[in-house]
Amino acid sequence: MTFRLFAPLSLMIGLLTALAFTGQAEAQLFETKATQAYMIDAETGTVLFSKEPDKAMAPASLAKLMTMEVVFNAIKSGRYKLDDTFAVSENAWRTGGAASRASTMFAAVKSQIRIEDLIQGVTVQLANDGCIVLAEGMAGSEANFALQMTERAREIGLEKSTFVNSTGLPAPGQTTTVRELATLGLHIWRTYPEFYRYYSLPEFNWNKILQRNRNPLITMDIGADGMAAGFTEGEGFAIVGSVNREGRRLFAAMAGLASDRERSEEARKLLDWGMRSFEKSEIFAANETVGEAQVFGGTRSHVALVAQKPISLFLPITNRERLVARIVYDGPVAAPIAQGTPIGSLKVWIGDTLSQETPLYAAEAVEVGSLQSRALDAVKELAVGWLR
């Protein structure tokens, strides 16, 4: 694996440095009481904050984000319509209804409820009965629906999340991570804009009972419009939140907080910090040369590298000395090389967080060199290749 310092970017913005490990304590860009946290910019995918992002955790009510993804996908594919209805089984009523004394939309047993009303019950009130009614109506049983949730999670790139039920109620084997929860939230917003709006509704009235949105961020004046909150005994309070402000959108997932009040305050602080502490900078246009990779056995010793789309970064307004960018590729790259061949990637770190990774491609073709040039390259590789 070859690491090449990204010299053009360092000349452009004058803030890239090699990673240095001095052994001395160094202040973090942001500190949170959450044991796990992950925040991304929706437009560019830039990771703005990361703390234990891949540590396994019980999803609690945040599992309902995956429940809704399966429901939204089924509607978008034409299998169901918002006006279709499902029956409320006794199981749904006992497990998730008023009798359960948990999050509920107070669905009456044996009644028929429109899918759109069930969606609002889940997105606004985190209704367990609404989840179970949807699961049983779409898959025959909640267990079978949970299998579909896990299968769908793999399809959209969530490799670690596994679901056992539609509600997030405690169950062995049910697990996720804050990275995948934030990624799931971003996916729902990008893929189902017509349905994402339900998460921002301040209240929902069903069965003559008015209930407020259970997401504590919705009532804060920070531009929040989603998504869900959860709690698990032994693991604490968790949340997935999104803020849309001044043309920017952030998604954050946090877990391991001590109380609902701490969850609200820590989420607010993280999202507000993300909005205030970064500025967007387009550093390369599409197909503009980013750097170069060393070539082995070609008519040229190096090949220019480009990205297929513009490269934009959200740069820290302060602490810019913590930003590091490198071109990473397996090399030297053996000729022949066709134009457009994937070569490596541009990786950008903010502190110790891998913030962004952009694929890079060969800007031009490189043909196989002469026998003499290939022999010379072989000698060079024997001499210095072990240093990489």
Side-chain angles (χ1 to χ4, degrees):
M1 185 73 70
T2 296
F3 295 87
R4 181 178 293 272
L5 276 180
F6 185 23
L9 180 57
S10 64
L11 292 174
M12 181 180 301
I13 58 180
L15 48 80
L16 299 184
T17 61
L19 288 173
F21 300 94
T22 64
Q24 298 178 351
E26 191 173 40
Q28 299 298 310
L29 294 180
F30 186 81
E31 184 175 0
T32 177
K33 295 177 183 177
T35 58
Q36 298 129 272
Y38 190 75
M39 182 168 63
I40 50 179
D41 170 72
E43 179 187 359
T44 64
T46 302
V47 180
L48 304 180
F49 186 82
S50 181
K51 178 181 180 182
E52 297 287 348
D54 300 313
K55 182 180 178 181
M57 56 173 279
S61 284
L62 301 181
K64 291 163 185 167
L65 296 177
M66 194 68 232
T67 298
M68 286 296 95
E69 200 287 334
V70 175
V71 173
F72 295 158
N73 183 59
I75 297 172
K76 190 169 184 176
S77 68
R79 290 169 50 207
Y80 296 96
K81 297 182 176 62
L82 291 174
D83 285 333
D84 290 342
T85 62
F86 289 136
V88 180
S89 69
E90 184 171 343
N91 173 60
W93 177 76
R94 288 191 181 278
T95 306
S100 69
R101 298 189 177 184
S103 301
T104 179
M105 60 185 289
F106 299 96
V109 66
K110 297 183 181 180
S111 65
Q112 294 279 334
I113 303 180
R114 293 171 62 246
I115 288 179
E116 184 172 25
D117 292 327
L118 292 166
I119 288 173
Q120 291 181 82
V122 176
T123 56
V124 177
Q125 299 170 204
L126 298 176
N128 290 328
D129 49 356
C131 288
I132 298 172
V133 171
L134 286 165
E136 292 178 342
M138 289 188 173
S141 71
E142 190 180 11
N144 190 46
F145 185 83
L147 291 174
Q148 294 181 16
M149 291 169 65
T150 301
E151 290 175 0
R152 181 62 182 160
R154 299 296 177 270
E155 290 175 7
I156 64 176
L158 308 185
E159 299 179 354
K160 298 184 178 181
S161 296
T162 300
F163 302 95
V164 179
N165 56 47
S166 65
T167 60
L169 290 171
Q174 189 147 256
T175 186
T176 189
T177 70
V178 291
R179 185 196 300 271
E180 295 200 347
L181 286 171
T183 302
L184 174 59
L186 176 58
H187 163 82
I188 291 173
W189 172 72
R190 284 178 172 170
T191 310
Y192 312 108
E194 68 274 35
F195 302 133
Y196 181 82
R197 63 180 178 84
Y198 291 118
Y199 287 103
S200 65
L201 296 176
E203 59 190 31
F204 179 56
N205 194 329
W206 176 255
N207 204 12
K208 299 181 180 180
I209 299 173
L210 179 68
Q211 286 188 300
R212 306 293 181 185
N213 196 311
R214 289 180 176 267
N215 179 357
L217 300 177
I218 294 296
T219 58
M220 297 181 183
D221 189 22
I222 60 172
D225 61 3
M227 296 189 73
F231 169 75
T232 303
E233 288 286 350
E235 295 192 21
F237 293 78
I239 191 168
V240 174
S242 179
V243 166
N244 182 26
R245 201 162 80 202
E246 298 176 357
R248 288 186 58 203
R249 178 178 290 277
L250 305 180
F251 280 87
M254 309 178 77
L257 293 152
S259 66
D260 54 355
R261 182 175 180 178
E262 184 174 270
R263 171 180 60 193
S264 302
E265 187 62 16
E266 291 296 301
R268 181 196 63 78
K269 289 194 296 186
L270 180 63
L271 286 162
D272 193 56
W273 171 78
M275 280 290 180
R276 295 177 184 275
S277 301
F278 296 85
E279 59 185 3
K280 183 180 178 182
S281 177
E282 183 174 308
I283 57 175
F284 287 102
N287 298 312
E288 182 180 355
T289 298
V290 175
E292 57 184 21
Q294 186 178 354
V295 175
F296 177 86
T299 54
R300 287 193 291 274
S301 62
H302 292 84
V303 61
L305 302 178
V306 298
Q308 294 180 339
K309 58 182 180 180
I311 300 178
S312 296
L313 299 175
F314 274 94
L315 307 174
I317 294 174
T318 60
N319 297 301
R320 288 197 169 186
E321 71 281 357
R322 303 291 303 282
L323 187 73
V324 178
R326 289 176 174 173
I327 291 174
V328 181
Y329 65 99
D330 288 324
V333 185
I337 303 169
Q339 183 179 5
T341 299
I343 300 295
S345 62
L346 171 65
K347 293 188 176 183
V348 180
W349 288 264
I350 300 175
D352 58 0
T353 295
L354 178 58
S355 180
Q356 190 166 328
E357 184 172 0
T358 304
L360 298 177
Y361 304 85
E364 55 201 343
V366 179
E367 302 299 331
V368 175
S370 65
L371 180 60
Q372 181 179 0
S373 68
R374 282 181 284 157
L376 182 59
D377 281 353
V379 171
K380 290 179 181 178
E381 189 63 18
L382 285 172
V384 302
W386 62 275
L387 294 173
R388 295 189 184 92

PDB file of all heavy atoms in Angstrom, residues 206-221:
ATOM      1  N   TRP A 206     -54.597  10.232  17.113  1.00  0.00           N
ATOM      2  CA  TRP A 206     -55.208   8.970  16.688  1.00  0.00           C
ATOM      3  C   TRP A 206     -56.053   8.416  17.824  1.00  0.00           C
ATOM      4  O   TRP A 206     -55.665   8.467  18.992  1.00  0.00           O
ATOM      5  CB  TRP A 206     -54.129   7.959  16.300  1.00  0.00           C
ATOM      6  CG  TRP A 206     -54.708   6.626  15.942  1.00  0.00           C
ATOM      7  CD1 TRP A 206     -54.699   5.489  16.688  1.00  0.00           C
ATOM      8  CD2 TRP A 206     -55.439   6.320  14.755  1.00  0.00           C
ATOM      9  NE1 TRP A 206     -55.370   4.491  16.043  1.00  0.00           N
ATOM     10  CE2 TRP A 206     -55.835   4.967  14.842  1.00  0.00           C
ATOM     11  CE3 TRP A 206     -55.806   7.055  13.628  1.00  0.00           C
ATOM     12  CZ2 TRP A 206     -56.571   4.343  13.841  1.00  0.00           C
ATOM     13  CZ3 TRP A 206     -56.538   6.439  12.640  1.00  0.00           C
ATOM     14  CH2 TRP A 206     -56.904   5.097  12.748  1.00  0.00           C
ATOM     15  N   ASN A 207     -57.202   7.868  17.466  1.00  0.00           N
ATOM     16  CA  ASN A 207     -58.124   7.293  18.450  1.00  0.00           C
ATOM     17  C   ASN A 207     -58.505   8.340  19.502  1.00  0.00           C
ATOM     18  O   ASN A 207     -58.635   8.043  20.687  1.00  0.00           O
ATOM     19  CB  ASN A 207     -57.505   6.059  19.114  1.00  0.00           C
ATOM     20  CG  ASN A 207     -58.552   5.108  19.664  1.00  0.00           C
ATOM     21  OD1 ASN A 207     -59.746   5.230  19.373  1.00  0.00           O
ATOM     22  ND2 ASN A 207     -58.110   4.157  20.470  1.00  0.00           N
ATOM     23  N   LYS A 208     -58.638   9.602  19.028  1.00  0.00           N
ATOM     24  CA  LYS A 208     -59.023  10.745  19.860  1.00  0.00           C
ATOM     25  C   LYS A 208     -58.002  11.074  20.949  1.00  0.00           C
ATOM     26  O   LYS A 208     -58.334  11.711  21.955  1.00  0.00           O
ATOM     27  CB  LYS A 208     -60.399  10.519  20.489  1.00  0.00           C
ATOM     28  CG  LYS A 208     -61.517  10.347  19.471  1.00  0.00           C
ATOM     29  CD  LYS A 208     -62.860  10.149  20.146  1.00  0.00           C
ATOM     30  CE  LYS A 208     -63.964   9.981  19.111  1.00  0.00           C
ATOM     31  NZ  LYS A 208     -65.297   9.793  19.752  1.00  0.00           N
ATOM     32  N   ILE A 209     -56.758  10.639  20.731  1.00  0.00           N
ATOM     33  CA  ILE A 209     -55.683  10.930  21.682  1.00  0.00           C
ATOM     34  C   ILE A 209     -54.588  11.692  20.944  1.00  0.00           C
ATOM     35  O   ILE A 209     -54.045  11.205  19.943  1.00  0.00           O
ATOM     36  CB  ILE A 209     -55.107   9.645  22.298  1.00  0.00           C
ATOM     37  CG1 ILE A 209     -56.193   8.886  23.063  1.00  0.00           C
ATOM     38  CG2 ILE A 209     -53.938   9.956  23.227  1.00  0.00           C
ATOM     39  CD1 ILE A 209     -55.754   7.525  23.562  1.00  0.00           C
ATOM     40  N   LEU A 210     -54.256  12.886  21.414  1.00  0.00           N
ATOM     41  CA  LEU A 210     -53.212  13.699  20.801  1.00  0.00           C
ATOM     42  C   LEU A 210     -51.880  13.401  21.483  1.00  0.00           C
ATOM     43  O   LEU A 210     -51.763  13.469  22.708  1.00  0.00           O
ATOM     44  CB  LEU A 210     -53.539  15.187  20.947  1.00  0.00           C
ATOM     45  CG  LEU A 210     -52.504  16.152  20.368  1.00  0.00           C
ATOM     46  CD1 LEU A 210     -52.469  16.037  18.850  1.00  0.00           C
ATOM     47  CD2 LEU A 210     -52.809  17.584  20.785  1.00  0.00           C
ATOM     48  N   GLN A 211     -50.855  13.059  20.673  1.00  0.00           N
ATOM     49  CA  GLN A 211     -49.533  12.793  21.210  1.00  0.00           C
ATOM     50  C   GLN A 211     -48.494  13.624  20.478  1.00  0.00           C
ATOM     51  O   GLN A 211     -48.578  13.818  19.261  1.00  0.00           O
ATOM     52  CB  GLN A 211     -49.182  11.309  21.106  1.00  0.00           C
ATOM     53  CG  GLN A 211     -49.924  10.444  22.118  1.00  0.00           C
ATOM     54  CD  GLN A 211     -49.420   9.026  22.138  1.00  0.00           C
ATOM     55  OE1 GLN A 211     -49.483   8.345  21.136  1.00  0.00           O
ATOM     56  NE2 GLN A 211     -48.916   8.587  23.277  1.00  0.00           N
ATOM     57  N   ARG A 212     -47.517  14.105  21.232  1.00  0.00           N
ATOM     58  CA  ARG A 212     -46.451  14.914  20.671  1.00  0.00           C
ATOM     59  C   ARG A 212     -45.355  14.029  20.081  1.00  0.00           C
ATOM     60  O   ARG A 212     -45.188  12.871  20.474  1.00  0.00           O
ATOM     61  CB  ARG A 212     -45.834  15.803  21.754  1.00  0.00           C
ATOM     62  CG  ARG A 212     -46.842  16.667  22.499  1.00  0.00           C
ATOM     63  CD  ARG A 212     -47.455  17.724  21.619  1.00  0.00           C
ATOM     64  NE  ARG A 212     -48.396  18.565  22.359  1.00  0.00           N
ATOM     65  CZ  ARG A 212     -49.141  19.500  21.799  1.00  0.00           C
ATOM     66  NH1 ARG A 212     -49.088  19.723  20.502  1.00  0.00           N
ATOM     67  NH2 ARG A 212     -49.973  20.226  22.541  1.00  0.00           N
ATOM     68  N   ASN A 213     -44.607  14.594  19.165  1.00  0.00           N
ATOM     69  CA  ASN A 213     -43.460  13.895  18.589  1.00  0.00           C
ATOM     70  C   ASN A 213     -42.469  13.542  19.702  1.00  0.00           C
ATOM     71  O   ASN A 213     -42.103  14.390  20.515  1.00  0.00           O
ATOM     72  CB  ASN A 213     -42.783  14.785  17.540  1.00  0.00           C
ATOM     73  CG  ASN A 213     -41.842  14.003  16.651  1.00  0.00           C
ATOM     74  OD1 ASN A 213     -40.998  13.235  17.111  1.00  0.00           O
ATOM     75  ND2 ASN A 213     -41.969  14.215  15.347  1.00  0.00           N
ATOM     76  N   ARG A 214     -42.042  12.291  19.741  1.00  0.00           N
ATOM     77  CA  ARG A 214     -41.158  11.824  20.816  1.00  0.00           C
ATOM     78  C   ARG A 214     -39.694  12.171  20.585  1.00  0.00           C
ATOM     79  O   ARG A 214     -38.853  11.894  21.451  1.00  0.00           O
ATOM     80  CB  ARG A 214     -41.308  10.315  20.993  1.00  0.00           C
ATOM     81  CG  ARG A 214     -42.636   9.914  21.619  1.00  0.00           C
ATOM     82  CD  ARG A 214     -42.727   8.403  21.778  1.00  0.00           C
ATOM     83  NE  ARG A 214     -43.965   8.023  22.456  1.00  0.00           N
ATOM     84  CZ  ARG A 214     -44.081   7.852  23.764  1.00  0.00           C
ATOM     85  NH1 ARG A 214     -43.037   8.047  24.550  1.00  0.00           N
ATOM     86  NH2 ARG A 214     -45.235   7.489  24.291  1.00  0.00           N
ATOM     87  N   ASN A 215     -39.374  12.767  19.459  1.00  0.00           N
ATOM     88  CA  ASN A 215     -37.998  13.204  19.210  1.00  0.00           C
ATOM     89  C   ASN A 215     -37.792  14.541  19.924  1.00  0.00           C
ATOM     90  O   ASN A 215     -38.381  15.555  19.550  1.00  0.00           O
ATOM     91  CB  ASN A 215     -37.758  13.360  17.705  1.00  0.00           C
ATOM     92  CG  ASN A 215     -36.359  13.831  17.375  1.00  0.00           C
ATOM     93  OD1 ASN A 215     -35.540  14.114  18.257  1.00  0.00           O
ATOM     94  ND2 ASN A 215     -36.067  13.928  16.091  1.00  0.00           N
ATOM     95  N   PRO A 216     -36.934  14.597  20.940  1.00  0.00           N
ATOM     96  CA  PRO A 216     -36.789  15.834  21.717  1.00  0.00           C
ATOM     97  C   PRO A 216     -36.190  16.983  20.922  1.00  0.00           C
ATOM     98  O   PRO A 216     -36.323  18.146  21.321  1.00  0.00           O
ATOM     99  CB  PRO A 216     -35.854  15.416  22.861  1.00  0.00           C
ATOM    100  CG  PRO A 216     -35.078  14.256  22.319  1.00  0.00           C
ATOM    101  CD  PRO A 216     -36.044  13.526  21.442  1.00  0.00           C
ATOM    102  N   LEU A 217     -35.553  16.710  19.794  1.00  0.00           N
ATOM    103  CA  LEU A 217     -34.926  17.771  19.010  1.00  0.00           C
ATOM    104  C   LEU A 217     -35.945  18.608  18.242  1.00  0.00           C
ATOM    105  O   LEU A 217     -35.663  19.757  17.877  1.00  0.00           O
ATOM    106  CB  LEU A 217     -33.912  17.185  18.019  1.00  0.00           C
ATOM    107  CG  LEU A 217     -32.741  16.399  18.604  1.00  0.00           C
ATOM    108  CD1 LEU A 217     -31.873  15.835  17.483  1.00  0.00           C
ATOM    109  CD2 LEU A 217     -31.907  17.280  19.522  1.00  0.00           C
ATOM    110  N   ILE A 218     -37.117  18.032  17.975  1.00  0.00           N
ATOM    111  CA  ILE A 218     -38.101  18.699  17.125  1.00  0.00           C
ATOM    112  C   ILE A 218     -38.530  20.042  17.711  1.00  0.00           C
ATOM    113  O   ILE A 218     -38.772  21.009  16.977  1.00  0.00           O
ATOM    114  CB  ILE A 218     -39.321  17.787  16.889  1.00  0.00           C
ATOM    115  CG1 ILE A 218     -38.914  16.549  16.075  1.00  0.00           C
ATOM    116  CG2 ILE A 218     -40.445  18.535  16.187  1.00  0.00           C
ATOM    117  CD1 ILE A 218     -38.427  16.853  14.679  1.00  0.00           C
ATOM    118  N   THR A 219     -38.649  20.132  19.024  1.00  0.00           N
ATOM    119  CA  THR A 219     -39.124  21.367  19.646  1.00  0.00           C
ATOM    120  C   THR A 219     -38.017  22.384  19.893  1.00  0.00           C
ATOM    121  O   THR A 219     -38.278  23.497  20.345  1.00  0.00           O
ATOM    122  CB  THR A 219     -39.807  21.053  20.986  1.00  0.00           C
ATOM    123  OG1 THR A 219     -38.886  20.367  21.839  1.00  0.00           O
ATOM    124  CG2 THR A 219     -41.039  20.191  20.770  1.00  0.00           C
ATOM    125  N   MET A 220     -36.767  22.009  19.612  1.00  0.00           N
ATOM    126  CA  MET A 220     -35.653  22.945  19.781  1.00  0.00           C
ATOM    127  C   MET A 220     -35.519  23.819  18.548  1.00  0.00           C
ATOM    128  O   MET A 220     -35.779  23.380  17.429  1.00  0.00           O
ATOM    129  CB  MET A 220     -34.343  22.176  20.015  1.00  0.00           C
ATOM    130  CG  MET A 220     -34.328  21.340  21.270  1.00  0.00           C
ATOM    131  SD  MET A 220     -32.733  20.499  21.463  1.00  0.00           S
ATOM    132  CE  MET A 220     -33.050  19.531  22.951  1.00  0.00           C
ATOM    133  N   ASP A 221     -35.070  25.007  18.722  1.00  0.00           N
ATOM    134  CA  ASP A 221     -34.930  25.953  17.612  1.00  0.00           C
ATOM    135  C   ASP A 221     -33.558  25.794  16.945  1.00  0.00           C
ATOM    136  O   ASP A 221     -32.744  26.708  16.925  1.00  0.00           O
ATOM    137  CB  ASP A 221     -35.108  27.383  18.120  1.00  0.00           C
ATOM    138  CG  ASP A 221     -35.178  28.388  16.981  1.00  0.00           C
ATOM    139  OD1 ASP A 221     -35.511  27.976  15.852  1.00  0.00           O
ATOM    140  OD2 ASP A 221     -34.886  29.571  17.232  1.00  0.00           O
TER     141      ASP A 221
END
